[in-house]
């Protein structure tokens, strides 16, 4: 991309798209599932001017980084009546925007890999076992906690609140198996117009889907629900052994999960412009609607633009990875970028000393991140 004259933003987007399409990363296809059994992704892209586009807790979008890119581009175009265009969209609004911009919007289970589904089932068992242990060891405290928590509904809450819309693709289980509902190739989107960048979704395990469907038909009928939403509707005591052998084999004796992390990229183009981006499916079994660092500028991704008065034309970009709730308290990306930019390390008395870039980076992690309360 860069050798052919593409911009740093182009390079960051295509690099992260390739990582999102790989099931071994926790981004895009193959991401960790929420506690409700769905995929919700975060992504940010920042250009050399420090302008950003981001999406958080977004479902069904094949490449969240491309959504962040089109949000960035849209944020520079004025709207009528002096409205301010957004540079950060979340949830269903982000999915709708992706569809309007011609990006690929998948069926509800289109981003769920078999490995991610298996992890979710194992983690559900671990969660049930932990809750049972808590109930046995501290029955009074458990009952108080149980009484104070609203019992979840047996269907995804968004299905109760939303109305039928032409924006939502594949509203039934049968259509979600084979219909990706791609927009026409005449879209003006830089991603939607290039089919070579977006391989077709992987074939799903129809045996597993049929098994879940038969179980769901026995328990309840949920219009518009997908395989994992339907299986979650069976309740927290769903027996893993009722799933077909292809999914349940050795589920109790699985080795340590091979889980990758947030993905990111930083690029500098032939014009000397820098850009950075990150994408993540978030931590496993997270609350639905949780926003992670990959969607947050200054926390997961940061760029310090070139100062026009700087003769060295120095710029810095950073991307972080880890538990977002901890990263957010230290503004890790922006703090790290600042320390590297100024070659500074914070001393115990609060003053700063000049050090090498490597020492600045290590000092920030050791004291300002690991030492943060």
């Amino acid at each position: 991309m860069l050798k052919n004259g593409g911009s740093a933003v182009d390079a960051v987007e295509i690099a992260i798209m390739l990582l999102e399409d790989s099931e071994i990363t926790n981004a895009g296809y193959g991401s960790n599932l929420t506690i409700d059994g769905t995929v919700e992704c975060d992504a940010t892209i920042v250009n050399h001017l420090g302008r950003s586009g981001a999406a958080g807790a977004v479902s069904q979008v094949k490449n969240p980084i491309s959504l962040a890119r089109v949000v960035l581009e849209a944020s520079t175009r004025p709207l009528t009546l002096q409205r301010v265009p957004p540079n950060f969209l979340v949830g269903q609004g982000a999915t709708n925007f992706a569809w309007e911009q011609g990006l690929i919007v998948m069926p509800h289970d289109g981003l769920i890999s078999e490995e991610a589904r298996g992890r979710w089932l194992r983690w559900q068992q671990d969660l049930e076992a932990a809750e049972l242990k808590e109930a046995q060891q501290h029955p009074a405290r458990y009952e108080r906690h149980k009484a104070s928590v609203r019992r979840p509904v047996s269907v995804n809450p968004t299905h109760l609140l939303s109305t039928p819309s032409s924006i939502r693709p594949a509203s039934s289980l049968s259509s979600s198996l084979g219909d990706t509902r791609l927009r026409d190739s005449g879209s003006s989107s830089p991603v939607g117009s290039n089919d070579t960048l977006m391989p077709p979704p992987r074939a799903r395990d129809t045996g597993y889907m049929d098994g879940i469907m038969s179980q769901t038909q026995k328990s309840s009928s949920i219009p518009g629900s997908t395989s994992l939403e339907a299986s979650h509707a069976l309740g927290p005591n769903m027996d893993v052994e009722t799933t077909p052998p292809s999914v349940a084999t050795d589920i109790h004796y699985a080795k340590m999960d091979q889980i990758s992390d947030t993905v990111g990229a930083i690029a500098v183009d032939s014009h000397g412009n820098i850009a950075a981006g990150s994408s993540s499916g978030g931590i496993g079994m997270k609350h639905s609607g949780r926003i992670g660092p990959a969607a947050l500028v200054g926390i997961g991704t940061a760029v310090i633009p070139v100062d026009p008065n700087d003769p060295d034309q120095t710029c810095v970009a950073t991307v972080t990875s880890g538990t977002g709730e901890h990263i957010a308290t230290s503004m890790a990306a922006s703090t790290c970028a600042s320390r590297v930019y100024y070659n500074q390390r914070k001393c115990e008395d609060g003053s700063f000393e000049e050090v090498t870039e490597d020492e600045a980076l290590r000092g920030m992690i050791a004291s300002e991140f690991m030492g943060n309360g």
Side-chain angles (χ1 to χ4, degrees):
M1 181 66 73
L2 293 174
K3 287 181 178 179
N4 285 298
S7 69
V9 171
D10 291 332
V12 165
E13 180 187 10
I14 188 65
I16 295 179
M17 284 178 68
L18 293 172
L19 295 169
E20 289 174 336
D21 290 341
S22 171
E23 66 179 289
I24 68 171
T25 67
N26 181 27
Y29 177 72
S31 290
N32 287 331
L33 304 188
T34 69
I35 197 166
D36 296 325
T38 60
V39 170
E40 294 185 1
C41 295
D42 303 318
T44 300
I45 198 163
V46 186
N47 68 12
H48 68 286
L49 299 175
R51 294 173 180 163
S52 62
V58 59
S59 300
Q60 299 178 256
V61 177
K62 181 176 181 290
N63 291 109
I65 192 65
S66 296
L67 174 55
R69 171 74 184 273
V70 297
V71 170
L72 167 62
E73 293 175 345
S75 70
T76 63
R77 296 194 293 264
L79 300 177
T80 57
L81 298 178
Q82 297 184 331
R83 290 175 296 150
V84 179
N87 68 345
F88 186 10
L89 294 173
V90 300
Q92 188 62 47
T95 303
N96 293 352
F97 186 80
W99 178 257
E100 293 164 3
Q101 297 299 312
L103 301 184
I104 291 182
V105 177
M106 306 288 285
H108 288 283
D109 65 345
L111 296 176
I112 300 174
S113 69
E114 290 301 317
E115 178 63 28
R117 181 186 285 120
R119 290 199 302 266
W120 182 74
L121 291 171
R122 291 196 295 273
W123 288 341
Q124 272 213 325
Q125 286 190 312
D126 293 341
L127 181 61
E128 292 164 16
E131 290 179 345
L132 179 60
K133 184 178 180 180
E134 175 74 12
Q136 293 172 342
Q137 293 180 346
H138 309 283
R141 185 169 67 185
Y142 178 76
E143 288 300 324
R144 287 196 302 269
H145 172 73
K146 187 176 177 182
S148 66
V149 177
R150 289 181 59 188
R151 191 169 298 278
V153 293
S154 60
V155 63
N156 191 314
T158 58
H159 291 169
L160 299 178
L161 300 175
S162 61
T163 56
S165 168
S166 61
I167 292 176
R168 179 182 298 159
S171 59
S172 67
L173 177 65
S174 59
S175 62
S176 72
L177 292 176
D179 183 7
T180 58
R181 298 290 180 96
L182 305 185
R183 296 292 298 270
D184 62 77
S185 60
S187 167
S188 61
S189 166
V191 176
S193 61
N194 192 342
D195 293 336
T196 62
L197 298 183
M198 290 158 291
R202 300 167 187 264
R204 300 287 172 248
D205 184 343
T206 55
Y208 174 82
M209 305 289 276
D210 293 339
I212 290 297
M213 192 63 179
S214 64
Q215 290 290 330
T216 308
Q217 290 171 343
K218 294 178 182 177
S219 59
S220 62
S221 176
I222 306 174
S225 66
T226 62
S227 60
L228 276 178
E229 290 163 353
S231 65
H232 190 63
L234 299 178
N237 294 322
M238 181 179 68
D239 184 3
V240 175
E241 295 304 329
T242 61
T243 61
S246 61
V247 175
T249 302
D250 296 329
I251 201 165
H252 295 289
Y253 307 102
K255 296 181 180 179
M256 183 177 295
D257 294 315
Q258 300 296 314
I259 306 170
S260 282
D261 215 328
T262 296
V263 303
I266 297 172
V268 180
D269 60 29
S270 58
H271 301 288
N273 294 329
I274 199 168
S278 57
S279 179
S280 178
I283 56 178
M285 304 299 278
K286 65 182 181 180
H287 281 278
S288 180
R290 179 257 191 188
I291 302 294
L296 302 174
V297 177
I299 294 174
T301 309
V303 168
I304 299 181
V306 170
D307 185 338
N309 299 318
D310 178 12
D312 294 328
Q313 299 290 287
T314 302
C315 54
V316 175
T318 58
V319 174
T320 68
S321 176
T323 303
E325 284 73 13
H326 300 160
I327 292 175
T329 62
S330 60
M331 295 292 292
S334 60
T335 302
C336 184
S338 179
R339 297 291 174 266
V340 172
Y341 185 85
Y342 293 106
N343 291 85
Q344 290 180 335
R345 178 170 58 194
K346 193 173 185 178
C347 302
E348 292 183 3
D349 61 0
S351 63
F352 293 91
E353 61 177 341
E354 188 170 340
V355 294
T356 65
E357 293 173 354
D358 185 62
E359 290 173 329
L361 175 60
R362 292 177 181 273
M364 179 271 164
I365 295 173
S367 61
E368 294 172 88
F369 179 69
M370 297 301 293
N372 187 284

